[in-house]
Amino acid sequence: MYNFTFHRPTTVRQAAGLLARNPEGKLLAGGHSLLPVMKQRLAQPSALVDLSQVEGLTGVELKGRSVVIGAMTRHADVANSEILKEVLPGLASTPGSIGDPQVRNRGTLGGSIANNDPNADYPAACLGLGATIITNKRRIAADDFFQGMFTTALEEGEIIVKVSFPIAKKAAYEKFKHPASGFALVGVFVSKRGPDIRVAVTGAGSNGVFRVKSFEEALAKRFSPKSIEGLTIPTSGMNSDIHATPEYRAHLVGVLARRALAKATA
Amino acid sequence: MAKVSMTVNGKAVTGDVEPRTLLVQFLRENLRLTGTHVGCDTSQCGACVVHIDGVAAKSCTALAVQCEGQSITTIEGLASDGKLHPMQEAFRERHGLQCGYCTPGMIMAALDIVRRRGNELDEHTIRDQLDGNICRCTGYHNIVKAIEAGARAMAK
Ligand SMILES: Cc1cc2nc3c(=O)[nH]c(=O)nc-3n(C[C@H](O)[C@H](O)[C@H](O)COP(=O)(O)OP(=O)(O)OC[C@H]3O[C@@H](n4cnc5c(N)ncnc54)[C@H](O)[C@@H]3O)c2cc1C
Ligand code: FES
Ligand code: FES
């Protein structure tokens, strides 16, 4: 790991100031994506701005017809949130499937979506529920936030403060876990909130998380696994690596979407 | 260099470290607490698991400076008055180890399972919750038995 200076602000404003003064600096949340990359010397931030002492960045809160989760809320705390398990169990189960218990004890919502790993779970939940990402500067719809693998709409020095998830009556996540890494080989999040139907896929696309419009249209008539029986998605744009072929990934999208629909409508 | 102070196994400690010093390096090299092991250094194996403010974490994936003001427990902090912790004793009794390299991490992870899931643990839960701890020797069988017994013994 290259060396860096270390800062521990206590407010979002201070954190933003530190980033402005250290243009090569980076935010540090749970460190479970950033530190491994720094160990490999694939990243060389001149400064780390640790968000752990910043007030007001943690917690799961019910606000009207949405659940608002602080950026620094750990995966384990989201998974175990009693409020969330009650009003939006499909979302609670998503961080519960991340990595292993030790990873879930450290990793955070904000870190995960800022990183936007193409195999990460939270991006599917954000896009699959039509969440709003709230930063220190603006509100960004999930549809605009995720812009390809490891790429987001975040600007230089922009800090995610919280994420607002609308409460969908029906929502579920199904993931085919890579047995070694725990990441999603493919993961599908489905939801229905009134007329708004979403099917979001992580792990499969070579350009990160995406929505499956053909499935969504088919589900508009009836939100049920039967509605997408026999539907397939094209293999172009599917990721290909030693773990799975594009054909296999495309196949898994259909299988997992049907399983998620069965779970959401059970 | 940065100054760091934290509580380790109940004692206040301070040190001068480079910000890039990992918690596991600080424990092993500065404090000479070599019970915490480094198996992979890539956040996979769990040999480095310690408790940070009572919660299990991989100490190869945390900076010492991140733990400023926090309370760390390592495997060395479990025994008291020369008596093994019930979870350690269960590993000894049930032969939950062979080479012992993974053992400190296994025990620290096991205590976290008890914290989250209570003292009555079934095999499925234990295996599932040991997802982040790799053992190259035992085949896990006796580790699982040891954790089941250790968790029960802790309730007494
Ligand atoms: C062994 C292992 C297994 C894993 N398995 C999975 C898995 O199955 N599924 C999965 O989804 N993930 C998995 N992960 C990744 C894990 O979820 C990470 O915790 C997460 O991706 C990053 O969150 P973090 O809080 O650790 O962020 P960090 O590593 O601290 O930061 C990641 C990036 O986000 C930026 N950032 C952090 N917070 C903010 C913020 N508030 N605003 C703007 N930018 C910010 C940082 O500058 C950095 O660039 C795994 C990780 C490990 C080590
Ligand atoms: S050494 Fe930390 S997880 Fe392997
Ligand atoms: S006992 Fe040897 S690695 Fe587990």
Side-chain angles (χ1 to χ4, degrees):
Chain A
M1 204 186 284
Y2 296 108
N3 222 343
F4 48 84
T5 59
F6 186 76
H7 308 272
R8 273 196 140 186
T10 53
T11 64
V12 173
R13 185 184 280 268
Q14 279 173 13
L18 283 159
L19 284 178
R21 285 195 295 284
N22 295 277
E24 300 294 312
K26 261 189 171 300
L27 295 169
L28 177 67
H32 272 56
S33 289
L34 185 54
L35 295 177
V37 172
M38 287 172 64
K39 283 185 186 182
Q40 294 172 303
R41 298 198 163 184
L42 294 173
Q44 187 180 359
S46 64
L48 285 188
V49 178
D50 178 11
L51 291 176
S52 68
Q53 306 302 305
V54 173
E55 56 202 26
L57 292 187
T58 57
V60 180
E61 229 188 309
L62 199 57
K63 276 217 172 127
R65 275 186 278 183
S66 298
V67 181
V68 179
I69 306 181
M72 284 295 287
T73 315
R74 312 261 187 212
H75 302 333
D77 295 328
V78 177
N80 294 326
S81 159
E82 291 303 329
I83 306 173
L84 199 60
K85 279 195 269 188
E86 197 184 311
V87 300
L88 202 43
L91 177 57
S93 76
T94 305
S97 79
I98 291 177
D100 58 54
Q102 285 82 238
V103 171
R104 296 195 287 275
N105 283 344
R106 299 289 289 175
T108 69
L109 167 61
S112 175
I113 62 173
N115 198 49
N116 195 16
D117 186 300
N119 296 285
D121 299 294
Y122 265 133
C126 290
L127 192 60
L129 281 166
T132 303
I133 290 87
I134 299 159
T135 74
N136 58 335
K137 296 189 177 144
R138 58 194 166 132
R139 304 165 65 91
I140 311 170
D143 286 292
D144 303 322
F145 183 83
F146 301 102
Q147 301 192 340
M149 61 162 91
F150 298 111
T151 312
T152 67
L154 288 175
E155 284 163 11
E156 214 62 49
E158 194 167 3
I159 302 171
I160 302 170
V161 176
K162 53 195 173 187
V163 181
S164 174
F165 296 90
I167 296 171
K169 246 216 173 99
K170 294 174 179 163
Y173 183 56
E174 274 291 312
K175 165 180 182 181
F176 191 97
K177 241 185 184 205
H178 184 290
S181 77
F183 275 91
L185 190 66
V186 176
V188 180
F189 199 104
V190 300
S191 79
K192 173 173 167 57
R193 188 169 53 100
D196 190 17
I197 288 172
R198 287 169 174 263
V199 178
V201 176
T202 188
S206 51
N207 211 16
V209 65
F210 64 94
R211 286 172 70 180
V212 187
K213 297 281 178 199
S214 61
F215 286 13
E216 292 175 357
E217 278 158 25
L219 290 165
K221 289 183 206 93
R222 200 155 80 92
F223 193 74
S224 145
K226 281 218 162 53
S227 304
I228 57 164
E229 203 80 59
L231 286 190
T232 53
I233 66 165
T235 56
S236 60
M238 289 289 113
N239 212 352
S240 176
D241 54 29
I242 56 164
H243 308 299
T245 60
E247 290 75 21
Y248 185 54
R249 281 192 161 91
H251 174 70
L252 280 181
V253 171
V255 172
L256 295 172
R258 286 193 295 276
R259 283 189 197 161
L261 286 161
K263 210 195 232 176
T265 52
Chain B
M1 295 298 248
K3 234 197 173 44
V4 63
S5 41
M6 59 183 92
T7 305
V8 177
N9 298 331
K11 285 197 213 86
V13 300
T14 56
D16 284 309
V17 296
E18 284 185 330
R20 64 179 161 182
T21 305
L22 300 172
L23 175 60
V24 70
Q25 282 175 300
F26 180 67
L27 294 171
R28 290 179 54 86
E29 293 164 25
N30 292 54
L31 304 181
R32 307 302 296 166
L33 291 171
T34 53
T36 303
H37 293 165
V38 179
C40 65
D41 199 23
T42 56
S43 328
Q44 311 286 330
C45 75
C48 65
V49 172
V50 301
H51 295 177
I52 303 178
D53 280 347
V55 173
K58 292 174 172 172
S59 61
C60 74
T61 314
L63 302 169
V65 287
Q66 274 180 289
C67 301
E68 172 68 34
Q70 292 188 297
S71 179
I72 313 296
T73 308
T74 70
I75 190 74
E76 288 93 342
L78 296 186
S80 58
D81 301 331
K83 208 166 155 272
L84 291 179
H85 182 284
M87 189 61 80
Q88 290 175 303
E89 184 58 34
F91 269 70
R92 192 184 70 82
E93 278 210 330
R94 308 272 159 154
H95 201 64
L97 59 144
Q98 288 181 19
C99 79
Y101 202 85
C102 69
T103 316
M106 286 287 176
I107 291 177
M108 299 314 284
L111 295 177
D112 200 59
I113 302 176
V114 176
R115 171 181 72 84
R116 288 178 287 111
R117 298 298 179 96
N119 297 83
E120 289 299 321
L121 299 168
D122 59 30
E123 177 180 350
H124 175 79
T125 304
I126 297 170
R127 286 185 183 270
D128 182 54
Q129 294 295 314
L130 281 184
D131 212 9
N133 293 76
I134 295 172
C135 175
R136 303 211 307 177
C137 304
T138 63
Y140 302 96
H141 186 81
N142 287 357
I143 293 178
V144 175
K145 296 274 172 229
I147 294 175
E148 200 179 338
R152 284 226 179 91
M154 283 169 67
K156 288 193 189 126

